[in-house]
Amino acid sequence: MKSYLILVILLIIKASTIFAADYSYSGSTGPAFWGNINETCIKGENQSPIDIPYDEFIKFNKPDNVEFYNVNNVEIENKGHSIQISKNLNAKLKIGDNEYNLLQFHFHTPSEHRINGNYHDVEAHFVFVDKEGKLSVIGVFYDVSDQQSKFFDPIVSNIPNKNEKKSIEFIELSSVLEDINLMNTTYNYFGSLTTPPCTEGVIWWVAHPVQPIGKDQYLKLRDTMGFNSRYVQVRKGFVNNNL
Amino acid sequence: MKSYLILVILLIIKASTIFAADYSYSGSTGPAFWGNINETCIKGENQSPIDIPYDEFIKFNKPDNVEFYNVNNVEIENKGHSIQISKNLNAKLKIGDNEYNLLQFHFHTPSEHRINGNYHDVEAHFVFVDKEGKLSVIGVFYDVSDQQSKFFDPIVSNIPNKNEKKSIEFIELSSVLEDINLMNTTYNYFGSLTTPPCTEGVIWWVAHPVQPIGKDQYLKLRDTMGFNSRYVQVRKGFVNNNL
């Protein structure tokens, strides 16, 4: 009985450790301390996001194939730090012989990547995975505009309460690919997840043409998520050594 | 002659060291490395900005007296990282027996302070100094809006080229004080400068009512300065231990 009690106490301590390890964007669980959650966040050498020097940004690259289809009955989740859409998605990337399927997409305010020190109001991350679990992410920038976004409309109209989920009937996902010029102008680099566990080996595609988002759409998204942008990481091998 | 040459070489090395010590918002001179420029930035225990827990934010405080007057023929400087207005300013704070005069004001995009994890599009810093060189700063938040800002109008219309200055005929500075409810609702704390040398002992007043800035005014300011927001600092003594 005594050993059973000790086991229960140990489990409670373990559970509280896991709970404490939840990450945030300020204070003692903020980005500067993510190394306490996963070492890769502090020791990794190819961490994301980055400040992309313009000279590098204009050297475009693209996947071997990319397809985005409109989707029905997807799930939207308010994860506190982020708004994430998943399930019933239909988009794919081909990089060499590997096919990657769209697992989920979510948003960051302000943008995580910067271009020559400049940022944008929102960055969408479309997270793809292949059969072996390798990841590839397309980043798309949005700036506040007089023009409403058809893509964001069903998303900001259906934001659930914190830690809750909802269903969205229809998202015009195909428009995203058209908007970013069919990925003819994306900056391609090897990086990481921008949140713990900060896993490396992620093939990044940061799309160049910045898209419009309506003022009220932007403010609703921003004020739901708050500041959820990791600061840019120091990288080796860039032409501009200051970045 | 030889010793003269050595002196010249040493001076060049010294000059390049000073140049290298210039701070930025990404890479090896970014906020994580400001401790290399001034130890206070990394070792200080009362660093700014902070993420203010809402519970703390609602405990308002105000200076003993505060006056803002409209100003003529002020100087605007594009410092690269920031747009700064100085000279011929006319505003004062009284804290106890000490009178502080407005030295300069400048802007950050996105906001440096956060309230319960939420940020705003722009934060203006009105930097006051007393006779002994002690500093007090009023922070004012701005959010993108359909409404243009009369205060920002002459500023965004007169942004000089990088590292250049211009004169601005008139700024409606008195409106700022009215907009922020005569400082009846500001969060008061002891912090630091948010840029190197990160000097502590700064009396902060973060104003509560968020002000409007026009979309185009905001985008012009943001894209001129780029991302110039230090990440929030870990502070002791807050009710919310996660902040």
Side-chain angles (χ1 to χ4, degrees), chain A residues 131-199:
Chain A
K131 278 178 191 165
E132 291 167 9
K134 285 191 288 186
L135 297 165
S136 183
V137 185
I138 302 175
V140 182
F141 295 130
Y142 294 83
D143 268 352
V144 71
S145 165
D146 295 326
Q147 195 184 327
Q148 300 295 303
S149 162
K150 276 190 186 173
F151 166 65
F152 271 104
D153 195 40
I155 295 167
V156 295
S157 309
N158 286 290
I159 295 179
N161 293 331
K162 200 172 164 175
N163 300 322
E164 289 185 8
K165 296 172 184 178
K166 269 189 191 174
S167 180
I168 295 181
E169 211 174 308
F170 177 76
I171 294 181
E172 202 180 301
L173 197 56
S174 66
S175 68
V176 173
L177 187 59
E178 291 157 23
D179 289 342
I180 59 170
N181 194 17
L182 307 176
M183 288 185 73
N184 281 313
T185 51
T186 63
Y187 176 69
N188 177 220
Y189 79 100
F190 282 84
S192 77
L193 295 179
T194 64
T195 53
C198 308
T199 315

Side-chain angles (χ1 to χ4, degrees), chain B residues 93-123:
Chain B
L93 280 183
K94 205 171 172 187
I95 307 167
D97 289 334
N98 285 13
E99 194 174 84
Y100 292 75
N101 282 282
L102 182 58
L103 187 67
Q104 49 102 332
F105 60 91
H106 61 267
F107 307 101
H108 295 270
T109 50
S111 75
E112 297 207 291
H113 287 92
R114 300 180 206 159
I115 311 297
N116 253 20
N118 280 88
Y119 71 103
H120 297 285
D121 295 321
V122 180
E123 184 172 340

Side-chain angles (χ1 to χ4, degrees), chain B residues 35-49:
Chain B
N36 297 335
I37 301 171
N38 192 305
E39 269 203 338
T40 310
C41 299
I42 194 86
K43 291 196 173 161
E45 294 196 344
N46 295 293
Q47 289 289 294
S48 295

